[in-house]
């Protein structure tokens, strides 16, 4: 994977973490045990320090960066969706930041919070634990429900499994020119994760 040192400071990656070969890590980046870093992530530790703690994940096309002297942190079991931007902030333990959300400097997303997709979290905002936040600018809508938290935790476990699957089997290959007979009967064995709306629909909820 493209990892770069700057002024003698190198990224650190725990052996049980998976960082995709197409992610870019620069300088003061620390990836903890069991973490997953997806393709096309840019983790630029050329000003502040970037930390992913145990079991956290950051998905495709995300950016982490921060001002000099700051730490940008994803706490244990934090979950950051595709295309999100984290700048000088903290994503709390077991919290979720949705796709294409932006979290600004000095903001702290409390434990077990859910930040909805495409939300904007203003600088310095301290969000209480287990808040559901949505909008531009973001606002607290209500508390995260038990169902929503369970769904979040299941999704995070799927990414922790994906870390192990990727370490064991992901490798470059040449594509096939057509769908073969085996493909007709076989899909990637990827667990039972589903969108939250689908689960609510099955339960008869709006």
């Amino acid at each position: 994977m493209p990892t770069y040192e700057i002024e003698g400071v190198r990224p650190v990656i725990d052996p049980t973490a998976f960082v995709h070969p197409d992610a870019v890590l620069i300088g003061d980046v620390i990836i903890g045990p069991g973490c997953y870093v997806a393709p096309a992530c840019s983790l630029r530790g050329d000003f502040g320090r970037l930390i992913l703690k145990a079991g956290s994940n950051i998905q495709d096309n995300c950016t982490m960066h921060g001002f000099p002297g700051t730490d940008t942190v994803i706490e244990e079991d934090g979950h950051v969706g595709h295309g999100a931007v984290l700048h000088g902030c903290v994503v709390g333990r077991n919290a979720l930041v949705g796709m294409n959300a932006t979290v600004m400097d000095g903001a702290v997303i409390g434990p077990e919070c859910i930040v909805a997709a495409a939300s904007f979290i203003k600088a310095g905002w301290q969000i209480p634990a287990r808040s559901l936040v949505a909008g531009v600018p973001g606002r607290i809508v209500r508390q995260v429900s038990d169902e929503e938290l369970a769904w979040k935790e299941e999704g995070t476990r799927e990414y922790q499994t994906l870390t192990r699957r990727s370490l064991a089997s992901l490798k470059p290959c040449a594509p096939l020119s057509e769908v073969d007979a085996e493909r007709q009967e076989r899909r990637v064995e990827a667990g039972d994760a589903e969108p939250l709306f689908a689960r609510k629909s099955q339960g008869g909820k709006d």
Side-chain angles (χ1 to χ4, degrees):
M1 73 203 68
T3 59
Y4 303 91
E5 69 176 84
I6 185 167
E7 297 172 345
V9 179
R10 298 185 184 185
V12 177
I13 303 172
D14 186 277
T16 63
F18 176 80
V19 179
H20 192 276
D22 292 328
V24 178
L25 278 58
I26 299 172
D28 199 357
V29 180
I30 301 171
I31 309 296
C35 293
Y36 179 86
V37 179
C41 283
S42 175
L43 278 59
R44 282 182 46 213
D46 46 15
F47 288 167
R49 176 170 292 174
L50 313 180
I51 303 170
L52 274 67
K53 295 191 178 180
S56 62
N57 70 78
I58 185 166
Q59 298 170 22
D60 316 67
N61 301 306
C62 288
T63 299
M64 286 183 76
H65 197 238
F67 283 102
T70 64
D71 289 355
T72 304
V73 182
I74 306 173
E75 298 281 3
E76 289 85 353
D77 296 331
H79 189 109
V80 180
H82 315 285
V85 176
L86 308 179
H87 204 280
C89 60
V90 175
V91 176
R93 179 188 53 79
N94 202 28
L96 181 150
V97 174
M99 299 180 224
N100 291 310
T102 298
V103 186
M104 294 299 293
D105 301 277
V108 177
I109 310 297
E112 300 183 344
C113 286
I114 294 178
V115 175
S119 297
F120 179 84
I121 306 304
K122 64 184 180 181
W125 191 16
Q126 313 286 300
I127 301 176
R130 205 161 169 174
S131 298
L132 177 64
V133 180
V136 180
R139 62 182 182 86
I140 295 174
V141 177
R142 56 174 170 77
Q143 286 272 288
V144 172
S145 70
D146 291 344
E147 179 186 33
E148 289 162 341
L149 185 60
W151 170 80
K152 182 272 165 198
E153 290 172 342
E154 289 173 16
T156 300
R157 286 194 294 271
E158 292 288 359
Y159 267 90
Q160 291 165 351
T161 300
L162 179 59
T163 296
R164 297 188 291 273
R165 291 169 57 209
S166 298
L167 287 170
S169 68
L170 187 103
K171 59 185 178 181
C173 69
L176 302 174
S177 59
E178 59 185 33
V179 176
D180 60 15
E182 180 184 3
R183 181 66 59 84
Q184 300 288 354
E185 304 296 329
R186 183 174 183 270
R187 291 179 178 266
V188 173
E189 297 175 6
D192 299 320
E194 61 182 353
L196 184 58
F197 84 88
R199 179 169 301 182
K200 289 185 174 181
S201 296
Q202 292 164 7
K205 299 181 181 180
D206 293 333

